[in-house]
Amino acid sequence: MPGSRVPGRTWTVRLAGHSDHTVSVTCSNATCRMPPRSKDAASLRRFAAEHIKAHGRLAGARPNAACSCGSAQCALHESRVQCAGTSLLVLVHNPAVGQVWTLAEVCQACARHVPHLAVLATARPVLPTPATPPAERLAQRAAVPGGFSSPEAAPEPSPGRRRPHRPRRSRG
């Protein structure tokens, strides 16, 4: 992979049973707060699944991420694969095991060989920037009427957001 790539990220959420018939959840991200041990394995299993999905929503796929497994000794797939293609954010969970969820940035080539995989996000390719000198780009921006601080350049409100209700003035 080219040198401009950053290492692919991986998160693992694990459900562990204990001798006292309780279950605990751990996350490879040390900053995450996990619930205490519980005898309610079903609720902790739901928590673990939602927790890893939350990591996925927050992380997104990075276009400059290298495959987290690399082309040798990948823990996610058995066959040797030459890494290639767009970076994907994937969730790997074998329902037969049901205790481990892995979220990883992998390339398209490796993703084809990973069992029990769900693609959560595909990185958008970075478009090459024109070789325009910085001073010329600044001049081009300044030529645009309005600018970010003018009311004419204000973004349109998204369709899902409503404006606050203002009572109409009565004529008369």
Side-chain angles (χ1 to χ4, degrees):
M1 301 239 123
S4 64
R5 293 202 178 249
V6 295
R9 301 170 292 178
T10 303
W11 297 263
T12 302
V13 174
R14 207 174 294 277
L15 201 61
H18 303 281
S19 60
D20 62 352
H21 300 286
T22 60
V23 180
S24 63
V25 179
T26 60
C27 180
S28 61
N29 183 343
T31 61
C32 293
R33 293 183 62 193
M34 297 289 114
R37 281 186 182 189
S38 171
K39 290 192 178 207
D40 188 359
S43 69
L44 285 184
R45 187 173 289 113
R46 284 189 302 273
F47 172 84
E50 286 304 314
H51 182 77
I52 198 75
K53 288 177 187 175
H55 275 297
R57 284 189 298 273
L58 292 172
R62 301 177 302 171
N64 62 338
C67 186
S68 63
C69 67
S71 60
Q73 299 178 350
C74 179
L76 296 176
H77 57 84
E78 293 178 8
S79 57
R80 186 168 166 86
V81 178
Q82 182 64 39
C83 292
T86 303
S87 180
L88 306 171
L89 185 65
V90 299
L91 175 62
V92 181
H93 175 68
N94 183 345
V97 176
Q99 305 176 133
V100 179
W101 293 260
T102 302
L103 185 66
E105 288 178 313
V106 298
C107 67
Q108 287 175 322
C110 287
R112 289 187 204 109
H113 299 279
V114 178
H116 309 290
L117 174 133
V119 176
L120 300 182
T122 302
R124 294 183 182 188
V126 177
L127 299 174
T129 57
T132 308
E136 193 175 320
R137 281 190 298 232
L138 185 59
Q140 289 172 351
R141 276 192 225 135
V144 176
F148 291 109
S149 61
S150 75
E152 296 86 17
E156 292 293 319
S158 63
R161 270 178 70 179
R162 291 184 164 182
R163 293 184 180 176
H165 176 70
R166 293 185 185 148
R168 290 187 170 188
R169 291 183 182 178
S170 61
R171 292 184 184 183

mmCIF file of all heavy atoms in Angstrom, residues 8-11 52-63 65-68 76 86-92 102-108 111 117-124:
data_model
loop_
_atom_site.group_PDB
_atom_site.id
_atom_site.type_symbol
_atom_site.label_atom_id
_atom_site.label_comp_id
_atom_site.label_asym_id
_atom_site.label_seq_id
_atom_site.Cartn_x
_atom_site.Cartn_y
_atom_site.Cartn_z
ATOM 1 N N GLY A 8 -4.820 0.806 9.326
ATOM 2 C CA GLY A 8 -6.238 0.515 9.519
ATOM 3 C C GLY A 8 -6.554 0.277 10.983
ATOM 4 O O GLY A 8 -5.746 -0.261 11.730
ATOM 5 N N ARG A 9 -7.721 0.701 11.392
ATOM 6 C CA ARG A 9 -8.138 0.571 12.789
ATOM 7 C C ARG A 9 -8.924 -0.727 12.991
ATOM 8 O O ARG A 9 -9.575 -1.201 12.071
ATOM 9 C CB ARG A 9 -9.008 1.753 13.190
ATOM 10 C CG ARG A 9 -8.296 3.085 13.041
ATOM 11 C CD ARG A 9 -9.246 4.231 13.197
ATOM 12 N NE ARG A 9 -10.182 4.257 12.065
ATOM 13 C CZ ARG A 9 -11.166 5.133 11.920
ATOM 14 N NH1 ARG A 9 -11.360 6.045 12.828
ATOM 15 N NH2 ARG A 9 -11.959 5.089 10.875
ATOM 16 N N THR A 10 -8.894 -1.225 14.207
ATOM 17 C CA THR A 10 -9.657 -2.416 14.583
ATOM 18 C C THR A 10 -10.177 -2.243 16.002
ATOM 19 O O THR A 10 -9.450 -1.771 16.878
ATOM 20 C CB THR A 10 -8.771 -3.679 14.533
ATOM 21 O OG1 THR A 10 -8.230 -3.813 13.230
ATOM 22 C CG2 THR A 10 -9.576 -4.927 14.849
ATOM 23 N N TRP A 11 -11.442 -2.592 16.208
ATOM 24 C CA TRP A 11 -12.045 -2.623 17.540
ATOM 25 C C TRP A 11 -12.601 -4.015 17.749
ATOM 26 O O TRP A 11 -13.143 -4.622 16.834
ATOM 27 C CB TRP A 11 -13.215 -1.646 17.658
ATOM 28 C CG TRP A 11 -12.886 -0.213 17.488
ATOM 29 C CD1 TRP A 11 -12.653 0.695 18.485
ATOM 30 C CD2 TRP A 11 -12.797 0.518 16.257
ATOM 31 N NE1 TRP A 11 -12.416 1.933 17.934
ATOM 32 C CE2 TRP A 11 -12.496 1.854 16.575
ATOM 33 C CE3 TRP A 11 -12.927 0.177 14.918
ATOM 34 C CZ2 TRP A 11 -12.340 2.842 15.614
ATOM 35 C CZ3 TRP A 11 -12.763 1.154 13.948
ATOM 36 C CH2 TRP A 11 -12.472 2.467 14.312
ATOM 37 N N ILE A 52 -20.600 -1.979 19.454
ATOM 38 C CA ILE A 52 -19.702 -2.046 18.292
ATOM 39 C C ILE A 52 -20.296 -1.267 17.118
ATOM 40 O O ILE A 52 -19.571 -0.623 16.358
ATOM 41 C CB ILE A 52 -19.354 -3.514 17.918
ATOM 42 C CG1 ILE A 52 -18.099 -3.567 17.038
ATOM 43 C CG2 ILE A 52 -20.493 -4.201 17.220
ATOM 44 C CD1 ILE A 52 -16.829 -3.338 17.756
ATOM 45 N N LYS A 53 -21.613 -1.287 16.968
ATOM 46 C CA LYS A 53 -22.253 -0.500 15.905
ATOM 47 C C LYS A 53 -22.054 0.998 16.146
ATOM 48 O O LYS A 53 -21.885 1.767 15.203
ATOM 49 C CB LYS A 53 -23.738 -0.836 15.798
ATOM 50 C CG LYS A 53 -23.993 -2.199 15.206
ATOM 51 C CD LYS A 53 -25.475 -2.514 15.200
ATOM 52 C CE LYS A 53 -25.730 -3.937 14.774
ATOM 53 N NZ LYS A 53 -27.163 -4.276 14.893
ATOM 54 N N ALA A 54 -22.071 1.416 17.407
ATOM 55 C CA ALA A 54 -21.831 2.828 17.731
ATOM 56 C C ALA A 54 -20.410 3.230 17.341
ATOM 57 O O ALA A 54 -20.197 4.322 16.799
ATOM 58 C CB ALA A 54 -22.062 3.079 19.221
ATOM 59 N N HIS A 55 -19.435 2.343 17.594
ATOM 60 C CA HIS A 55 -18.074 2.622 17.126
ATOM 61 C C HIS A 55 -18.077 2.811 15.609
ATOM 62 O O HIS A 55 -17.419 3.713 15.089
ATOM 63 C CB HIS A 55 -17.121 1.478 17.490
ATOM 64 C CG HIS A 55 -16.553 1.556 18.862
ATOM 65 N ND1 HIS A 55 -15.738 2.580 19.290
ATOM 66 C CD2 HIS A 55 -16.664 0.711 19.921
ATOM 67 C CE1 HIS A 55 -15.375 2.370 20.543
ATOM 68 N NE2 HIS A 55 -15.934 1.241 20.955
ATOM 69 N N GLY A 56 -18.813 1.974 14.908
ATOM 70 C CA GLY A 56 -18.877 2.064 13.449
ATOM 71 C C GLY A 56 -19.487 3.368 12.966
ATOM 72 O O GLY A 56 -18.994 3.981 12.020
ATOM 73 N N ARG A 57 -20.561 3.805 13.626
ATOM 74 C CA ARG A 57 -21.189 5.077 13.234
ATOM 75 C C ARG A 57 -20.253 6.246 13.466
ATOM 76 O O ARG A 57 -20.188 7.179 12.672
ATOM 77 C CB ARG A 57 -22.490 5.276 14.007
ATOM 78 C CG ARG A 57 -23.640 4.430 13.516
ATOM 79 C CD ARG A 57 -24.954 4.836 14.167
ATOM 80 N NE ARG A 57 -24.963 4.677 15.611
ATOM 81 C CZ ARG A 57 -25.291 3.554 16.250
ATOM 82 N NH1 ARG A 57 -25.653 2.490 15.578
ATOM 83 N NH2 ARG A 57 -25.284 3.503 17.571
ATOM 84 N N LEU A 58 -19.514 6.217 14.562
ATOM 85 C CA LEU A 58 -18.604 7.313 14.883
ATOM 86 C C LEU A 58 -17.335 7.296 14.031
ATOM 87 O O LEU A 58 -16.784 8.339 13.721
ATOM 88 C CB LEU A 58 -18.220 7.267 16.365
ATOM 89 C CG LEU A 58 -19.344 7.569 17.342
ATOM 90 C CD1 LEU A 58 -18.897 7.302 18.767
ATOM 91 C CD2 LEU A 58 -19.818 9.004 17.194
ATOM 92 N N ALA A 59 -16.867 6.115 13.684
ATOM 93 C CA ALA A 59 -15.584 5.999 12.986
ATOM 94 C C ALA A 59 -15.681 6.335 11.510
ATOM 95 O O ALA A 59 -14.887 7.102 10.984
ATOM 96 C CB ALA A 59 -15.024 4.590 13.160
ATOM 97 N N GLY A 60 -16.630 5.755 10.801
ATOM 98 C CA GLY A 60 -16.697 5.935 9.355
ATOM 99 C C GLY A 60 -15.487 5.311 8.671
ATOM 100 O O GLY A 60 -14.547 4.868 9.322
ATOM 101 N N ALA A 61 -15.541 5.216 7.371
ATOM 102 C CA ALA A 61 -14.426 4.645 6.601
ATOM 103 C C ALA A 61 -13.521 5.774 6.129
ATOM 104 O O ALA A 61 -13.992 6.781 5.618
ATOM 105 C CB ALA A 61 -14.957 3.863 5.410
ATOM 106 N N ARG A 62 -12.232 5.600 6.314
ATOM 107 C CA ARG A 62 -11.266 6.623 5.907
ATOM 108 C C ARG A 62 -10.667 6.241 4.554
ATOM 109 O O ARG A 62 -10.209 5.101 4.383
ATOM 110 C CB ARG A 62 -10.157 6.748 6.949
ATOM 111 C CG ARG A 62 -10.668 7.109 8.330
ATOM 112 C CD ARG A 62 -9.573 7.159 9.349
ATOM 113 N NE ARG A 62 -8.875 5.875 9.427
ATOM 114 C CZ ARG A 62 -7.757 5.686 10.116
ATOM 115 N NH1 ARG A 62 -7.217 6.662 10.798
ATOM 116 N NH2 ARG A 62 -7.175 4.506 10.137
ATOM 117 N N PRO A 63 -10.631 7.161 3.589
ATOM 118 C CA PRO A 63 -10.107 6.834 2.264
ATOM 119 C C PRO A 63 -8.611 6.547 2.251
ATOM 120 O O PRO A 63 -8.123 5.843 1.378
ATOM 121 C CB PRO A 63 -10.430 8.065 1.420
ATOM 122 C CG PRO A 63 -10.627 9.154 2.394
ATOM 123 C CD PRO A 63 -11.125 8.528 3.663
ATOM 124 N N ALA A 65 -6.984 4.895 4.664
ATOM 125 C CA ALA A 65 -6.672 3.811 5.602
ATOM 126 C C ALA A 65 -6.153 2.591 4.857
ATOM 127 O O ALA A 65 -6.718 2.170 3.858
ATOM 128 C CB ALA A 65 -7.908 3.434 6.403
ATOM 129 N N ALA A 66 -5.071 2.049 5.364
ATOM 130 C CA ALA A 66 -4.549 0.793 4.827
ATOM 131 C C ALA A 66 -5.384 -0.344 5.400
ATOM 132 O O ALA A 66 -6.065 -0.187 6.414
ATOM 133 C CB ALA A 66 -3.084 0.626 5.234
ATOM 134 N N CYS A 67 -5.327 -1.470 4.777
ATOM 135 C CA CYS A 67 -6.043 -2.650 5.258
ATOM 136 C C CYS A 67 -5.490 -3.021 6.630
ATOM 137 O O CYS A 67 -4.277 -3.110 6.813
ATOM 138 C CB CYS A 67 -5.857 -3.794 4.264
ATOM 139 S SG CYS A 67 -6.833 -5.242 4.664
ATOM 140 N N SER A 68 -6.367 -3.220 7.605
ATOM 141 C CA SER A 68 -5.907 -3.504 8.967
ATOM 142 C C SER A 68 -5.219 -4.854 9.080
ATOM 143 O O SER A 68 -4.435 -5.083 9.986
ATOM 144 C CB SER A 68 -7.064 -3.432 9.959
ATOM 145 O OG SER A 68 -8.016 -4.424 9.669
ATOM 146 N N LEU A 76 -8.527 -12.218 10.163
ATOM 147 C CA LEU A 76 -9.911 -12.219 9.704
ATOM 148 C C LEU A 76 -10.179 -13.215 8.576
ATOM 149 O O LEU A 76 -11.303 -13.637 8.378
ATOM 150 C CB LEU A 76 -10.322 -10.813 9.240
ATOM 151 C CG LEU A 76 -10.316 -9.734 10.323
ATOM 152 C CD1 LEU A 76 -10.635 -8.378 9.725
ATOM 153 C CD2 LEU A 76 -11.304 -10.074 11.418
ATOM 154 N N THR A 86 -10.658 -0.118 -2.532
ATOM 155 C CA THR A 86 -11.112 0.917 -1.619
ATOM 156 C C THR A 86 -11.152 0.398 -0.187
ATOM 157 O O THR A 86 -11.405 -0.776 0.055
ATOM 158 C CB THR A 86 -12.536 1.355 -2.033
ATOM 159 O OG1 THR A 86 -12.498 1.783 -3.388
ATOM 160 C CG2 THR A 86 -13.055 2.483 -1.184
ATOM 161 N N SER A 87 -10.940 1.289 0.748
ATOM 162 C CA SER A 87 -11.008 0.950 2.166
ATOM 163 C C SER A 87 -12.476 0.827 2.587
ATOM 164 O O SER A 87 -13.315 1.650 2.230
ATOM 165 C CB SER A 87 -10.323 2.059 2.971
ATOM 166 O OG SER A 87 -10.375 1.771 4.335
ATOM 167 N N LEU A 88 -12.773 -0.225 3.340
ATOM 168 C CA LEU A 88 -14.125 -0.477 3.841
ATOM 169 C C LEU A 88 -14.093 -0.554 5.357
ATOM 170 O O LEU A 88 -13.102 -0.993 5.945
ATOM 171 C CB LEU A 88 -14.655 -1.810 3.312
ATOM 172 C CG LEU A 88 -14.656 -2.045 1.817
ATOM 173 C CD1 LEU A 88 -15.016 -3.491 1.519
ATOM 174 C CD2 LEU A 88 -15.606 -1.108 1.134
ATOM 175 N N LEU A 89 -15.169 -0.154 5.988
ATOM 176 C CA LEU A 89 -15.338 -0.370 7.415
ATOM 177 C C LEU A 89 -16.312 -1.534 7.533
ATOM 178 O O LEU A 89 -17.448 -1.448 7.047
ATOM 179 C CB LEU A 89 -15.892 0.874 8.104
ATOM 180 C CG LEU A 89 -16.002 0.787 9.619
ATOM 181 C CD1 LEU A 89 -14.626 0.665 10.259
ATOM 182 C CD2 LEU A 89 -16.723 1.998 10.163
ATOM 183 N N VAL A 90 -15.864 -2.636 8.133
ATOM 184 C CA VAL A 90 -16.670 -3.849 8.163
ATOM 185 C C VAL A 90 -16.892 -4.324 9.591
ATOM 186 O O VAL A 90 -16.087 -4.076 10.485
ATOM 187 C CB VAL A 90 -16.015 -4.985 7.341
ATOM 188 C CG1 VAL A 90 -15.874 -4.576 5.887
ATOM 189 C CG2 VAL A 90 -14.679 -5.399 7.915
ATOM 190 N N LEU A 91 -18.005 -5.018 9.773
ATOM 191 C CA LEU A 91 -18.325 -5.660 11.040
ATOM 192 C C LEU A 91 -18.271 -7.158 10.807
ATOM 193 O O LEU A 91 -18.908 -7.668 9.884
ATOM 194 C CB LEU A 91 -19.722 -5.260 11.517
ATOM 195 C CG LEU A 91 -20.235 -5.959 12.775
ATOM 196 C CD1 LEU A 91 -19.349 -5.658 13.973
ATOM 197 C CD2 LEU A 91 -21.666 -5.550 13.052
ATOM 198 N N VAL A 92 -17.490 -7.841 11.621
ATOM 199 C CA VAL A 92 -17.354 -9.291 11.528
ATOM 200 C C VAL A 92 -17.923 -9.892 12.805
ATOM 201 O O VAL A 92 -17.475 -9.559 13.906
ATOM 202 C CB VAL A 92 -15.874 -9.713 11.351
ATOM 203 C CG1 VAL A 92 -15.757 -11.220 11.222
ATOM 204 C CG2 VAL A 92 -15.258 -9.013 10.157
ATOM 205 N N THR A 102 -16.058 -7.805 15.783
ATOM 206 C CA THR A 102 -14.858 -7.091 15.362
ATOM 207 C C THR A 102 -15.239 -6.077 14.301
ATOM 208 O O THR A 102 -15.914 -6.407 13.319
ATOM 209 C CB THR A 102 -13.804 -8.065 14.792
ATOM 210 O OG1 THR A 102 -13.493 -9.021 15.802
ATOM 211 C CG2 THR A 102 -12.536 -7.326 14.390
ATOM 212 N N LEU A 103 -14.798 -4.859 14.495
ATOM 213 C CA LEU A 103 -14.981 -3.776 13.542
ATOM 214 C C LEU A 103 -13.599 -3.465 13.005
ATOM 215 O O LEU A 103 -12.658 -3.292 13.794
ATOM 216 C CB LEU A 103 -15.568 -2.561 14.265
ATOM 217 C CG LEU A 103 -15.942 -1.353 13.457
ATOM 218 C CD1 LEU A 103 -17.109 -1.661 12.523
ATOM 219 C CD2 LEU A 103 -16.311 -0.203 14.374
ATOM 220 N N ALA A 104 -13.444 -3.432 11.678
ATOM 221 C CA ALA A 104 -12.110 -3.235 11.116
ATOM 222 C C ALA A 104 -12.174 -2.479 9.806
ATOM 223 O O ALA A 104 -13.162 -2.552 9.078
ATOM 224 C CB ALA A 104 -11.434 -4.585 10.894
ATOM 225 N N GLU A 105 -11.091 -1.768 9.508
ATOM 226 C CA GLU A 105 -10.904 -1.154 8.198
ATOM 227 C C GLU A 105 -10.109 -2.151 7.368
ATOM 228 O O GLU A 105 -8.979 -2.497 7.728
ATOM 229 C CB GLU A 105 -10.127 0.155 8.318
ATOM 230 C CG GLU A 105 -10.937 1.266 8.936
ATOM 231 C CD GLU A 105 -10.146 2.544 9.101
ATOM 232 O OE1 GLU A 105 -9.004 2.489 9.595
ATOM 233 O OE2 GLU A 105 -10.689 3.610 8.766
ATOM 234 N N VAL A 106 -10.721 -2.651 6.315
ATOM 235 C CA VAL A 106 -10.051 -3.605 5.438
ATOM 236 C C VAL A 106 -10.230 -3.156 3.993
ATOM 237 O O VAL A 106 -11.109 -2.349 3.683
ATOM 238 C CB VAL A 106 -10.583 -5.047 5.608
ATOM 239 C CG1 VAL A 106 -10.350 -5.564 7.009
ATOM 240 C CG2 VAL A 106 -12.036 -5.148 5.242
ATOM 241 N N CYS A 107 -9.410 -3.695 3.116
ATOM 242 C CA CYS A 107 -9.529 -3.372 1.693
ATOM 243 C C CYS A 107 -10.581 -4.279 1.051
ATOM 244 O O CYS A 107 -10.988 -5.288 1.623
ATOM 245 C CB CYS A 107 -8.174 -3.536 1.001
ATOM 246 S SG CYS A 107 -7.606 -5.242 0.923
ATOM 247 N N GLN A 108 -11.016 -3.918 -0.149
ATOM 248 C CA GLN A 108 -12.025 -4.695 -0.859
ATOM 249 C C GLN A 108 -11.547 -6.113 -1.141
ATOM 250 O O GLN A 108 -12.332 -7.059 -1.055
ATOM 251 C CB GLN A 108 -12.394 -4.012 -2.168
ATOM 252 C CG GLN A 108 -13.230 -2.780 -1.992
ATOM 253 C CD GLN A 108 -13.476 -2.078 -3.309
ATOM 254 O OE1 GLN A 108 -12.609 -2.005 -4.171
ATOM 255 N NE2 GLN A 108 -14.675 -1.544 -3.468
ATOM 256 N N ALA A 111 -11.822 -8.143 2.045
ATOM 257 C CA ALA A 111 -13.219 -8.267 2.468
ATOM 258 C C ALA A 111 -13.912 -9.440 1.784
ATOM 259 O O ALA A 111 -14.761 -10.097 2.390
ATOM 260 C CB ALA A 111 -13.963 -6.970 2.196
ATOM 261 N N LEU A 117 -19.207 -11.285 7.352
ATOM 262 C CA LEU A 117 -18.857 -9.867 7.257
ATOM 263 C C LEU A 117 -20.054 -9.044 6.808
ATOM 264 O O LEU A 117 -20.834 -9.481 5.967
ATOM 265 C CB LEU A 117 -17.720 -9.724 6.233
ATOM 266 C CG LEU A 117 -17.302 -8.307 5.879
ATOM 267 C CD1 LEU A 117 -15.803 -8.213 5.919
ATOM 268 C CD2 LEU A 117 -17.791 -7.975 4.480
ATOM 269 N N ALA A 118 -20.189 -7.860 7.371
ATOM 270 C CA ALA A 118 -21.181 -6.883 6.928
ATOM 271 C C ALA A 118 -20.435 -5.572 6.687
ATOM 272 O O ALA A 118 -19.721 -5.095 7.577
ATOM 273 C CB ALA A 118 -22.265 -6.693 7.978
ATOM 274 N N VAL A 119 -20.583 -5.005 5.498
ATOM 275 C CA VAL A 119 -19.935 -3.729 5.188
ATOM 276 C C VAL A 119 -20.777 -2.613 5.779
ATOM 277 O O VAL A 119 -21.958 -2.479 5.463
ATOM 278 C CB VAL A 119 -19.768 -3.548 3.659
ATOM 279 C CG1 VAL A 119 -19.188 -2.174 3.346
ATOM 280 C CG2 VAL A 119 -18.898 -4.649 3.080
ATOM 281 N N LEU A 120 -20.175 -1.807 6.655
ATOM 282 C CA LEU A 120 -20.874 -0.692 7.284
ATOM 283 C C LEU A 120 -20.672 0.615 6.519
ATOM 284 O O LEU A 120 -21.550 1.467 6.504
ATOM 285 C CB LEU A 120 -20.412 -0.514 8.728
ATOM 286 C CG LEU A 120 -20.635 -1.688 9.667
ATOM 287 C CD1 LEU A 120 -20.172 -1.326 11.070
ATOM 288 C CD2 LEU A 120 -22.094 -2.102 9.689
ATOM 289 N N ALA A 121 -19.477 0.783 5.928
ATOM 290 C CA ALA A 121 -19.189 2.027 5.203
ATOM 291 C C ALA A 121 -18.097 1.777 4.174
ATOM 292 O O ALA A 121 -17.223 0.938 4.376
ATOM 293 C CB ALA A 121 -18.740 3.120 6.170
ATOM 294 N N THR A 122 -18.193 2.504 3.092
ATOM 295 C CA THR A 122 -17.179 2.469 2.041
ATOM 296 C C THR A 122 -16.551 3.846 1.970
ATOM 297 O O THR A 122 -17.258 4.854 1.924
ATOM 298 C CB THR A 122 -17.814 2.123 0.679
ATOM 299 O OG1 THR A 122 -18.475 0.856 0.792
ATOM 300 C CG2 THR A 122 -16.778 2.052 -0.417
ATOM 301 N N ALA A 123 -15.232 3.882 1.963
ATOM 302 C CA ALA A 123 -14.533 5.172 1.908
ATOM 303 C C ALA A 123 -14.752 5.804 0.545
ATOM 304 O O ALA A 123 -14.742 5.120 -0.481
ATOM 305 C CB ALA A 123 -13.052 4.979 2.156
ATOM 306 N N ARG A 124 -14.972 7.066 0.549
ATOM 307 C CA ARG A 124 -15.076 7.805 -0.716
ATOM 308 C C ARG A 124 -13.675 8.148 -1.160
ATOM 309 O O ARG A 124 -12.870 8.621 -0.359
ATOM 310 C CB ARG A 124 -15.885 9.075 -0.527
ATOM 311 C CG ARG A 124 -17.315 8.770 -0.186
ATOM 312 C CD ARG A 124 -18.096 10.036 -0.090
ATOM 313 N NE ARG A 124 -19.463 9.710 0.291
ATOM 314 C CZ ARG A 124 -20.438 10.565 0.316
ATOM 315 N NH1 ARG A 124 -20.208 11.817 -0.013
ATOM 316 N NH2 ARG A 124 -21.635 10.209 0.665
#
